[in-house]
Amino acid sequence: MKKILVTGGTGFIGSHTAVELQQHGYEVVIVDNLSNSSVDVLDNIAKITGTRPAFEQFDLADQARTAKFFREHHDLSGIIHFAAYKAAGESMEKPLEYYRNNTGSLINILEGMRDNGIRDIVFSSSCTVYGQPDQLPVTEDSPFKTAWSPYGNTKQICEDILRFSSQLLPVRVIALRYFNPIGAHESALIGELPLGVPNNLVPYITQTAIGKRECLSVFGNNYNTPDGTAIRDYIHVVDLANAHVIAVERMIREKCKSRMEIFNLGTGEGYTVMEVIRSFERVSGVKLNYKIVSRRPGDVEKVWADTRLANEELGWKAVRTLDEMMLSAWNWEKALAQRQ
Ligand code: UD1
C-alpha cells in the first residue's frame, strides 16, 4: 500500500482528502499541530472509511522534529502539504508568524524530502496569488499581483521556493490553486470547523442560520457585478479532495509533463454573495438574516477559474453544484449542533 503524508490532515480540506485517499487504497499518515483543528476528526474519518489514519501531533515549523519524522518515514510515496495559517486578516496582525509558519514548514518538509529521497509533493496554493486578475476567467499563466496581505504573499513565496526546488533538487511538484472551497462530506461527519468567529462566507451563513450568529454582514453591494456583490468561484470540498488523489496518482504513475505543474481548481463558474445566500435559503428552507455593510479591505471584486488545464491534463472536473455545496454545509452545521 502506498503511504502518503497529509500535513494539516485534521483540517477542513486535509480531512476530506485523507478520506478520499483511503477510499482509493492509500495509507495515510497525518501530521498536524491541532492549532486550528480537533483530534476528534480522526475518529470521524475512521467512521467514514473504516480506517483511522496514523497521526503524529507536532509543528512542522520545528526543524529537528520534522527531520526526525522524515527519517522515520523515508518510505513515503508522496506528500500533500496543507498545513498552513490561512486567514488574510489575521496575517495583517501577525505577519512574522505567518511568514515563519508557512514558509518555514515548507522548507523543513523539502529538507526532509531531499535527505530521504522522497520526490513528490502536492502543494496547497490559492487563487489569492492572482489578486484581481486583468482577464477572467483566470488562467494559470496569469501573473502574480502584488499581494495584499502577508498570507497571500506566503502562498506566492512558497510557490517560488517550490519552483526553484523543483529545478535544483530531486523534487517534483504539483501546486494546486484553490478557488473558494466550501461544503462538507455527505456523511456530515467531517466539515469546516472554524474556531471562533468565522472569516469565510459559508460558515458565517450556516452559523447565522442555526442561531450562533445574529446576522451575516454582506461586504459591499457596489461592486461592478450584476447585483453589486462580489463574485467568487465556489468549489465543493469533496471535488477538491478528489483532485488531490488524481494529482498524487499522476506523480506516482510518472505522468507529469514538467517538474513543477500548476493547476487551478474551481468550477469555472462565478457566483455573487447574494446568489450564494439565495442558494442557501433555497436548499435549507431557512430565511437568512443579513445586512449590507461596507466592503472588506483586501477583497477583490470578482475572480473565477479557467479550469481547462485541470480538466484536460488531470482529467478532473468539479461536478457538484452550488446547491449541493450549500446543502452539505447546512447538513454539517446541523450535525454539529446535535453533537454539542
Ligand atoms: C478568503 C481570503 C483568501 C483565502 C480564502 C481561504 C480574504 C480577503 N481572502 O477568500 O485569501 O485564500 O479565504 O481561506 O480574507 N463575505 C461576506 N460576508 C462575510 C464573509 C465573506 O460578504 O461575513 C464575502 C466576501 O466579501 C467575498 C465572499 O463573501 O466576496 C467570499 O469571502 P470568503 O469566504 O472570506 O473568501 P475570500 O475572501 O474569497
Side-chain angles (χ1 to χ4, degrees), residues 7-19:
T7 77
T10 52
F12 175 41
I13 308 172
S15 58
H16 289 81
T17 302
V19 164

Side-chain angles (χ1 to χ4, degrees), residues 31-51:
V31 170
D32 203 304
N33 65 0
L34 301 179
S35 64
N36 192 28
S37 59
S38 159
V39 75
D40 303 341
V41 169
L42 299 170
D43 296 331
N44 292 321
I45 293 173
K47 277 186 202 151
I48 297 170
T49 65
T51 309

Side-chain angles (χ1 to χ4, degrees), residues 13 86-90 125-129 148-149 151-152 155 178-182 192 198-205 215-220 223 229-234 271-273 276-277 291 293-301 303:
I13 308 172
K86 60 152 201 168
E90 183 187 61
S125 192
S126 166
C127 71
T128 195
V129 298
W148 166 80
S149 70
Y151 159 74
K155 290 294 171 192
Y178 313 149
F179 283 66
N180 285 60
I182 61 168
E192 196 168 359
N199 295 306
N200 297 113
L201 177 63
V202 172
Y204 211 106
I205 288 177
C215 182
L216 170 76
S217 295
V218 174
F219 297 138
Y223 286 109
T229 61
I231 295 179
R232 296 289 182 275
D233 182 340
Y234 297 92
Y271 290 100
T272 66
V273 176
V276 174
I277 293 172
K291 60 175 188 245
V293 302
S294 51
R295 295 180 180 192
R296 180 171 66 178
D299 274 352
V300 299
E301 181 167 84
V303 63

Side-chain angles (χ1 to χ4, degrees), residues 144-205:
F144 286 2
K145 288 276 172 71
T146 302
W148 166 80
S149 70
Y151 159 74
N153 193 209
T154 65
K155 290 294 171 192
Q156 298 175 331
I157 293 169
C158 285
E159 283 203 21
D160 287 341
I161 293 171
L162 286 164
R163 184 167 305 103
F164 278 107
S165 297
S166 72
Q167 289 164 12
L168 304 172
L169 301 170
V171 165
R172 223 166 41 185
V173 182
I174 296 182
L176 300 175
R177 292 181 180 155
Y178 313 149
F179 283 66
N180 285 60
I182 61 168
H185 194 263
E186 59 173 9
S187 63
L189 285 164
I190 54 172
E192 196 168 359
L193 236 175
L195 299 180
V197 183
N199 295 306
N200 297 113
L201 177 63
V202 172
Y204 211 106
I205 288 177

Side-chain angles (χ1 to χ4, degrees), residues 26-146:
Y26 290 95
E27 181 187 345
V28 172
V29 180
I30 289 176
V31 170
D32 203 304
N33 65 0
L34 301 179
S35 64
N36 192 28
S37 59
S38 159
V39 75
D40 303 341
V41 169
L42 299 170
D43 296 331
N44 292 321
I45 293 173
K47 277 186 202 151
I48 297 170
T49 65
T51 309
R52 192 182 157 98
F55 173 62
E56 296 197 25
Q57 181 182 350
F58 67 89
D59 192 337
L60 290 152
D62 178 338
Q63 190 179 11
R65 183 66 188 83
T66 304
K68 176 170 177 279
F69 172 86
F70 276 100
R71 282 194 300 274
E72 290 162 0
H73 293 272
H74 52 82
D75 56 340
L76 285 169
S77 295
I79 297 165
I80 308 181
H81 180 39
F82 293 105
Y85 293 158
K86 60 152 201 168
E90 183 187 61
S91 77
M92 304 294 282
E93 274 131 51
K94 301 179 176 173
L96 298 181
E97 284 85 346
Y98 269 68
Y99 283 111
R100 186 186 295 282
N101 187 57
N102 291 5
T103 63
S105 57
L106 176 65
I107 292 166
N108 292 341
I109 289 167
L110 287 166
E111 281 179 346
M113 293 171 71
R114 180 197 61 192
D115 296 345
N116 294 281
I118 301 160
R119 191 190 55 185
D120 295 336
I121 180 166
V122 177
F123 177 69
S124 280
S125 192
S126 166
C127 71
T128 195
V129 298
Y130 299 123
Q132 177 62 65
D134 296 328
Q135 277 180 351
L136 289 169
V138 61
T139 58
E140 288 82 352
D141 50 20
S142 304
F144 286 2
K145 288 276 172 71
T146 302

